[in-house]
């Protein structure tokens, strides 16, 4: 069923006439890096993907690495955000009931940490269906015809525009999105872009550290293939990296795409430094393997096996590490050090962090071995 709609007032107006008349080349520039392309909007540059990232992002090994790097923390995943004075529920359970409850909580948390997809930006392609000169000057406004048949996906819905010169053309994406939202509204999505995504408001939110709020809202308002979604998420990721506020996104569904973004654009130095300082050496190895996978760097198979080895998420604060675990940390630290010397950009900072961690690790290992000897263990 087709419904004829005549757009009135601001519904059909373009978002910015000045932008439409400006060549697209003005908003694209190339950086000195061979793998990094930037775009410019609102006087702020942001990184974009130079090719379709979806095939790499959807790989099973990449997904496994990203999920592990995210670090599942039940307390953060299930935190209450609506009120400051959170209530706590206590239950008396047997050991078996506690184990079942933990397994259910892990399953729920993994669903809540499902990552937004990383796909290529979609280009607008408005195919001209026909040109009817007899309809020229019939009206001064555009007419939009929308198929409102129930049960169709929004991407499959036919929406066409009749121009004043008689041209019948497929509707551009922004118009399709507005009309789909009018006839089949999605909860939480606005017909027009919310003011919070304007440059001044967005910058204030980023300075306040509300990264997760901005990214959650972007996932509701935009589709993953929209240019605005790519622009906003890139600005958030860059701000998080520059301010080193990694814990703000860690153990959220956005940390995986964030780590993928940094690895794709060769910006993992600060995140790797943070992982060393927080004693997340295994996550550091996973980040290195992710980086090497995306850029085709040769990496020892044993390193990949360490990174891809299944591991139960840490639900509670771990006790002191055993001697075997400390020796494994020495091995992981050597792998990180080799990567720093070969690939890293901020070699000085990373080498200092590695050296400091090695000194602490040696002291812990010496202490653990001394305690074992005191207890008469071999």
């Amino acid at each position: 069923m087709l419904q004829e709609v005549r757009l009135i007032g601001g519904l059909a107006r373009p978002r910015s006439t000045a932008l439409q008349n400006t060549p697209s080349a003005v908003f694209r520039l190339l950086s000195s890096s061979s793998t990094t392309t930037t775009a410019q909007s609102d006087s702020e540059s942001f990184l974009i993907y130079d090719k379709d990232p979806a095939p790499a992002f959807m790989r099973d090994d990449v997904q496994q690495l990203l999920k592990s790097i995210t670090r599942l923390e039940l307390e953060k995943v299930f935190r209450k955000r609506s009120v400051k004075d959170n209530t706590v529920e206590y239950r008396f359970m047997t050991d078996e009931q506690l184990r079942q409850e933990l397994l259910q909580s892990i399953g729920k948390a993994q669903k809540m940490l499902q990552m937004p997809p990383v796909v290529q930006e979609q280009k607008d392609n408005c195919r001209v269906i026909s040109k009817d000169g007899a309809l020229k000057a019939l009206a001064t406004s555009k007419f939009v015809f929308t198929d409102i048949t129930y049960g169709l996906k929004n991407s499959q819905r036919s929406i066409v525009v009749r121009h004043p010169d008689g041209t019948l053309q497929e509707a551009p994406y922004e118009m399709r999105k507005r009309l789909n939202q009018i006839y089949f509204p999605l909860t939480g999505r606005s017909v027009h872009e919310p003011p919070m995504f304007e440059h001044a408001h967005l910058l204030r939110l980023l300075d306040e550290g509300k990264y997760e709020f901005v990214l959650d809202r972007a996932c509701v308002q935009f589709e993953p293939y929209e240019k605005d979604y790519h622009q906003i998420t890139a600005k958030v990721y860059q701000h998080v990296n520059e301010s080193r506020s990694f814990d703000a996104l860690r153990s959220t569904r956005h940390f995986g795409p964030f780590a993928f973004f940094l690895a794709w654009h060769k910006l993992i130095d600060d995140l790797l430094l943070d992982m060393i300082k927080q004693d997340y050496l295994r996550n550091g190895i996973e980040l290195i393997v992710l980086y090497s996978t995306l850029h085709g760097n040769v990496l020892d198979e044993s390193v990949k096996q360490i990174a891809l080895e299944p591991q139960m998420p840490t639900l509670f604060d771990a006790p002191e590490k055993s001697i075997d675990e400390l020796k494994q940390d020495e091995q992981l630290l050597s792998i990180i050090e080799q990567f720093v010397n070969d690939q890293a950009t901020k070699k000085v900072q990373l080498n200092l962090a590695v050296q400091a961690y090695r000194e602490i690790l040696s002291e812990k290992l010496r202490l653990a071995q001394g305690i074992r000897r005191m207890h008469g263990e071999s």
Side-chain angles (χ1 to χ4, degrees):
M1 178 173 59
L2 291 176
Q3 178 167 344
E4 180 177 340
V5 181
R6 182 170 182 174
L7 300 185
I8 301 174
L11 185 60
R13 69 173 183 269
R15 295 179 60 186
S16 173
T17 305
L19 290 178
Q20 285 185 338
N21 295 333
T22 306
S24 59
V26 175
F27 303 100
R28 303 238 176 212
L29 52 95
L30 295 176
S31 71
S32 57
S33 173
S34 61
T35 60
T36 302
T37 309
T38 61
Q40 188 170 351
S41 177
D42 296 326
S43 302
E44 289 290 330
S45 62
F46 62 95
L47 298 171
I48 64 173
Y49 294 100
D50 52 350
K51 61 181 180 180
D52 188 5
F57 182 79
M58 298 300 178
R59 286 178 49 170
D60 292 338
D61 56 342
V62 171
Q63 285 290 303
Q64 181 179 339
L65 292 170
L66 293 177
K67 289 177 181 178
S68 182
I69 290 173
T70 298
R71 297 189 65 85
L72 190 152
E73 298 175 7
L74 295 181
E75 184 178 354
K76 185 171 183 178
V77 174
F78 292 111
R79 72 193 186 280
K80 296 182 179 179
R81 311 180 191 181
S82 56
V83 292
K84 295 182 179 179
D85 185 18
N86 294 334
T87 57
V88 180
E89 180 183 355
Y90 294 95
R91 299 182 192 175
F92 291 99
M93 297 182 178
T94 63
D95 290 344
E96 179 61 23
Q97 288 174 331
L98 178 59
R99 189 182 71 84
Q100 293 296 331
E101 189 70 21
L102 286 175
L103 291 177
Q104 291 179 9
S105 298
I106 292 173
K108 292 179 182 178
Q110 289 174 340
K111 290 182 179 179
M112 295 177 68
L113 291 180
Q114 181 65 43
M115 294 176 285
V118 178
V119 296
Q120 191 174 31
E121 178 186 324
Q122 178 178 280
K123 305 299 181 182
D124 225 349
N125 184 20
C126 303
R127 182 174 60 91
V128 175
I129 300 173
S130 67
K131 293 185 177 181
D132 302 312
L135 300 178
K136 186 176 182 180
L138 180 65
T140 58
S141 301
K142 297 178 183 178
F143 288 85
V144 177
F145 301 88
T146 304
D147 182 0
I148 60 172
T149 303
Y150 181 77
L152 288 179
K153 295 181 180 179
N154 287 346
S155 58
Q156 299 174 336
R157 202 171 300 282
S158 178
I159 303 178
V160 296
V161 183
R162 177 71 74 177
H163 294 272
D165 63 357
T167 302
L168 184 65
Q169 190 176 22
E170 292 180 345
Y173 178 77
E174 285 297 329
M175 185 181 293
R176 289 182 57 87
K177 183 179 176 181
R178 290 200 302 270
L179 290 171
N180 279 322
Q181 182 62 19
I182 290 173
Y183 290 116
F184 306 95
L186 298 177
T187 304
R189 177 174 292 184
S190 303
V191 175
H192 296 288
E193 183 177 301
M196 64 170 287
F197 293 124
E198 295 176 3
H199 177 66
H201 300 304
L202 179 61
L203 186 60
R204 177 176 59 82
L205 290 171
L206 296 181
D207 290 338
E208 293 175 359
K210 297 182 178 179
Y211 305 115
E212 188 179 5
F213 169 70
V214 174
L215 292 173
D216 283 342
R217 189 68 180 87
C219 288
V220 174
Q221 183 64 31
F222 307 106
E223 298 295 335
Y225 48 77
E226 290 187 45
K227 179 180 179 180
D228 289 337
Y229 178 83
H230 280 250
Q231 175 179 342
I232 291 167
T233 54
K235 286 184 176 180
V236 174
Y237 295 157
Q238 287 179 253
H239 197 282
V240 172
N241 189 48
E242 291 168 1
S243 62
R244 300 185 180 182
S245 303
F246 304 113
D247 282 337
L249 291 184
R250 186 173 275 122
S251 196
T252 70
R253 63 186 182 135
H254 305 292
F255 196 82
F258 165 67
F260 182 87
F261 177 88
L262 296 184
W264 183 281
H265 295 292
K266 298 185 177 182
L267 298 173
I268 67 170
D269 294 66
D270 289 322
L271 180 56
L272 182 59
L273 180 63
D274 179 78
M275 290 175 173
I276 296 173
K277 290 181 177 179
Q278 298 209 47
D279 196 11
Y280 298 156
L281 294 189
R282 180 183 171 88
N283 290 152
I285 298 299
E286 291 164 344
L287 184 63
I288 291 172
V289 172
L290 174 65
Y291 179 95
S292 302
T293 300
L294 295 180
H295 299 289
N297 298 341
V298 179
L299 202 61
D300 192 89
E301 285 298 324
S302 61
V303 178
K304 293 182 179 180
Q305 290 177 2
I306 293 174
L308 296 175
E309 183 181 356
Q311 189 179 31
M312 186 71 176
T314 303
L315 303 180
F316 308 104
D317 294 335
E320 291 295 329
K321 292 183 178 180
S322 65
I323 293 179
D324 292 337
E325 291 174 331
L326 292 174
K327 289 182 178 179
Q328 185 183 27
D329 284 349
E330 284 186 329
Q331 179 187 0
L332 299 180
L333 196 63
S334 299
I335 296 173
I336 293 176
E337 186 176 26
Q338 181 180 354
F339 172 82
V340 170
N341 294 328
D342 295 341
Q343 301 288 337
T345 303
K346 300 182 179 181
K347 288 182 170 59
V348 176
Q349 298 179 36
L350 285 166
N351 277 319
L352 287 174
V354 169
Q355 181 180 354
Y357 189 96
R358 179 172 280 118
E359 292 175 357
I360 296 174
L361 185 62
S362 299
E363 184 65 23
K364 287 183 177 180
L365 185 58
R366 184 187 65 79
L367 181 61
Q369 290 172 341
I371 293 174
R372 173 177 286 188
R373 286 194 299 270
M374 290 176 60
H375 285 82
E377 300 177 7
S378 56

